[in-house]
Amino acid sequence: MVESSKEKFTGLNVSEISSKISSFVNSEKPIRVWSKGSEPSLAFIRNIEKRVITLDVSTSIIEVDFSDKVFLNFSFNSVDYFAKGSLLSENNGLLSIELEEEVFKSEKRHNERLLTFPHHQVHAYFKVYSDENSSNIISINRFKETPNSALESFVSEKMKQIVDEEDAIAELMGFRILDLSSDGLSFFANSRETSYFAGLKDDGGIQFTLMFEGTSYSLKYAEIVYIVDYVNQRAARIPMKKIGIHFDENDEIKESINKLINDSGALREVDKSFESFLAD
């Protein structure tokens, strides 16, 4: 058993899972194929002979860079299987890929975590209250619920000032979400933004609104689970933090995440972990 930072991948021989792969041949069950840095595409297995697998991608919009190694994933009986391979030929939407000898398996997560950046536009919005005549922070998101239609008028990545019923000044802060599950998410924040959250790690119950796939979700009883340093390679001199938030599990969000993964092959955290695992 070999363990990556977050996942455990067990090495297998291709021959050990050939019967499982064969069960996908000429079926309507797609597998997922991608190259590093791209979003997975769905493909259908048409044939497998030893380590050469033939994929039908004629119904997919392929963003895979086949000049590089490609990654493949399929699920069988609640287990995720991963492989890496090289393109041998391409003809009318049929790809022949030679798999490497060693493949891997990992227990499939009950709660999938979707990598939303940079391929998906997902944002979280928080209200931060301050004294009308001071920049001191009074509280974050201690407010009455607002109808979705009212919130949508504020949807923007820029801060906007509003005045609530009690004449307290509130800033609506929007953050681009990095990854999302049915009960948690994370985002980057600068020093000023992080200061609004730093005192809340032991104070649960904050509220915020999530905009995901064109739908807004009002999420309550959320808590800050971590605030860690993050170094942006493109802006190494700008201090940033990665903030992780946990909230009560939301079945609608879970359904939307699973739909994205199953219908379009969206990139998951476990897929990225597999990439990193093979790079180690």
Side-chain angles (χ1 to χ4, degrees), residues 231-244:
V231 177
N232 186 339
Q233 300 298 329
R234 296 181 178 180
R237 295 184 179 181
I238 301 176
M240 299 290 288
K241 299 287 186 179
K242 184 177 180 180
I243 299 176

Side-chain angles (χ1 to χ4, degrees), residues 27-46:
S27 77
E28 296 306 312
K29 298 184 296 182
I31 70 167
R32 304 160 72 248
V33 56
W34 75 99
S35 56
K36 190 172 183 179
S38 71
E39 187 87 336
S41 299
L42 298 182
F44 296 91
I45 300 177
R46 296 307 180 216

Side-chain angles (χ1 to χ4, degrees), residues 11-12 38 64 90 117 124 133 137 159 166 172 174 178 182 193 195 199 204 209 225 229 233 255 257 262 270 279:
L12 302 168
S38 71
V64 179
E90 179 179 2
F117 182 83
N133 299 312
I137 301 303
M159 294 184 182
E166 299 176 357
L172 188 72
L178 303 173
S182 61
E193 294 162 342
S195 67
T209 295
V225 292
D229 292 333
Q233 300 298 329
E255 183 177 344
I257 289 174
N262 296 330
V270 64

Side-chain angles (χ1 to χ4, degrees), residues 212 215-217 249-257:
F212 175 45
T215 302
S216 63
Y217 301 88
E249 187 168 28
N250 185 293
D251 290 336
E252 292 182 18
I253 293 176
K254 184 174 184 177
E255 183 177 344
S256 293
I257 289 174

Side-chain angles (χ1 to χ4, degrees), residues 116-132:
T116 56
F117 182 83
H119 301 288
H120 307 278
Q121 290 288 336
V122 185
H123 296 83
Y125 295 91
F126 300 82
K127 282 184 180 178
V128 178
Y129 286 85
S130 61
D131 187 285
E132 184 177 3

